Amino acid sequence: AMKLFGLQAKDASSIADMLATAANKTTGDVEDFSVALKQGGAVAKLAGLKMNQKVVALEALAESGVKNSDAGTSMKTAFIQLLKPTEKQAALADQLNLSFVNQAGNMKNMAALSADLIKATDGMTNAQRAATFATLAGTDGVRTLNALYAAGPEALKKYADANRENGTANEIAKEKMDNLSGSMEQLGGAVQTLAIEFSGLVNPAIRSAVDWLTGALTDLSKLNMRELMKDEDIRGVVEAFVALGNAVK
């Protein structure tokens, strides 16, 4: 996306903020916008649009349910049709008094396009408006014009303003980490509780066994071991106890 828009490495943070904001403000995610930019970025650059305005158009598309590569394809198709119309498309645009470029020869910003589309199709039925947009932008591009029309200029201006804010990506990442830390803390608490409950069930049995073994070894230590060890059976029992004691340690 950076090369497509002639941006440099120093612009990376602003792009990250822009995409994070777009994902936060719409139903799309960062990947949706990244893929869409790759799909339609070259045409957007030729149209003279800056990164912000391209993202604004994709935000409108996302809110209308068109995302990812579909959004990029629709945007690309719409821009091509509007900037290089057929005779039929040009005639319809003239009839509606529509112009899609500004005085500098670049495509108008999305809010201006939206306002023009609303004004030009005022009084039309939904079917008539859909047919008009399809003629102007083609079967793929119609979704872009419809998204801009549906969003309205005020919402599109708000998108553009929000996209200029700095630090959005870091704030969203921090919020996600905070949520993760909270979840990990809850998990730790649950594990600790489970350990305590398990310990409460197992410890009495282990303690009884250890106490019994300790008592048995203590009693044996009071006997005359030299005499007892002469008996093979007793010697075997003692050796077993010693081995068990070492295992417990």
Side-chain angles (χ1 to χ4, degrees):
M2 293 178 66
K3 291 182 179 179
L4 287 173
F5 286 90
L7 301 172
Q8 301 177 3
K10 64 183 179 64
D11 301 311
S13 62
S14 63
I15 294 174
D17 287 335
M18 203 174 294
L19 297 184
T21 298
N24 198 38
K25 296 288 185 182
T26 69
T27 59
D29 58 31
V30 172
E31 183 179 0
D32 287 329
F33 289 104
S34 297
V35 173
L37 284 171
K38 291 177 182 178
Q39 188 71 22
V43 173
K45 182 179 179 181
L46 291 174
L49 287 178
K50 294 184 178 180
M51 182 71 163
N52 192 346
Q53 286 301 307
K54 175 66 181 298
V55 175
V56 168
L58 293 176
E59 286 175 293
L61 279 162
E63 284 299 274
S64 69
V66 184
K67 307 171 189 177
N68 209 281
S69 61
D70 286 344
T73 299
S74 177
M75 172 63 75
K76 175 176 65 177
T77 302
F79 285 175
I80 291 173
Q81 298 296 320
L82 297 181
L83 294 177
K84 191 178 180 180
T86 63
E87 290 185 8
K88 181 179 180 180
Q89 290 170 327
L92 178 58
D94 288 340
Q95 178 185 335
L96 297 172
N97 197 28
L98 277 172
S99 175
F100 303 109
V101 297
N102 56 29
Q103 293 180 346
N106 296 321
M107 178 162 283
K108 292 181 178 179
N109 65 58
M110 298 303 105
L113 286 179
S114 177
D116 289 347
L117 292 172
I118 291 173
K119 182 178 179 180
T121 59
D122 183 41
M124 290 186 182
T125 65
N126 290 337
Q128 290 172 331
R129 185 179 299 107
T132 298
F133 290 166
T135 300
L136 291 171
T139 55
D140 246 342
V142 63
R143 293 182 292 178
T144 295
L145 296 193
N146 185 63
L148 295 176
Y149 172 89
E154 293 305 316
L156 297 174
K157 288 177 183 177
K158 289 180 180 179
Y159 283 150
D161 290 340
N163 290 343
R164 296 188 187 97
E165 296 178 1
N166 296 321
T168 305
N170 286 334
E171 290 176 3
I172 293 176
K174 183 179 179 181
E175 180 180 348
K176 289 184 177 180
M177 286 303 296
D178 287 343
N179 291 339
L180 177 60
S181 297
S183 297
M184 290 301 293
E185 184 176 351
Q186 291 178 359
L187 175 60
V191 171
Q192 186 176 15
T193 300
L194 178 62
I196 292 173
E197 293 178 354
F198 182 76
S199 175
L201 293 173
V202 176
N203 278 352
I206 295 177
R207 183 175 179 180
S208 296
V210 171
D211 289 345
W212 178 84
L213 180 59
T214 300
L217 293 175
T218 300
D219 291 339
L220 284 173
S221 67
K222 296 177 182 179
L223 300 175
N224 188 334
M225 297 302 295
R226 290 181 180 276
E227 294 296 327
L228 288 173
M229 290 298 287
K230 293 178 181 180
D231 188 297
E232 293 184 1
D233 292 334
I234 293 178
R235 186 167 61 249
V237 172
V238 171
E239 290 175 352
F241 274 122
V242 172
L244 182 58
N246 290 332
V248 172
K249 290 180 181 180

